[in-house]
Amino acid sequence: MGLGGCIILIAAGAILTFATDWDMEGVNLDLVGIILMIVGLIGVTTFSSIARRRRVVVPPATPVVGEETHHRRDGYSDGYGV
């Protein structure tokens, strides 16, 4: 579940908890809304911790300047083809 899905869960839970006054027999919509908000918050924290680990910046390798090596692969200088 991505960050957008987590935010949708939080919004749906807040709507069920604070903006509705429906009564359903056998279902407490306030509790369902709170559970959705908690699951959304857990998802946001998990997503942000995983995204933080992926953003590790590795400094670029410095190239060796002034030293050029050309290896000739003619079949004789590397020991093969003798």
Side-chain angles (χ1 to χ4, degrees):
M1 174 175 21
L3 185 62
C6 296
I7 292 173
I8 289 173
L9 280 178
I10 294 171
I15 290 170
L16 283 177
T17 302
F18 302 117
T20 60
D21 58 353
W22 298 332
D23 290 326
M24 292 180 65
E25 190 173 327
V27 178
N28 186 354
L29 289 180
D30 291 336
L31 182 62
V32 171
I34 290 172
I35 290 171
L36 287 176
M37 287 189 288
I38 290 172
V39 169
L41 287 174
I42 291 171
V44 166
T45 56
T46 305
F47 182 80
S48 65
S49 68
I50 290 172
R52 188 177 308 129
R53 275 190 236 148
R54 286 187 193 165
R55 291 187 200 151
V56 175
V57 178
V58 178
T62 56
V64 177
V65 178
E67 189 176 316
E68 294 183 24
T69 58
H70 296 285
H71 295 288
R72 192 172 53 151
R73 300 278 305 192
D74 59 1
Y76 296 105
S77 60
D78 58 358
Y80 297 108
V82 176

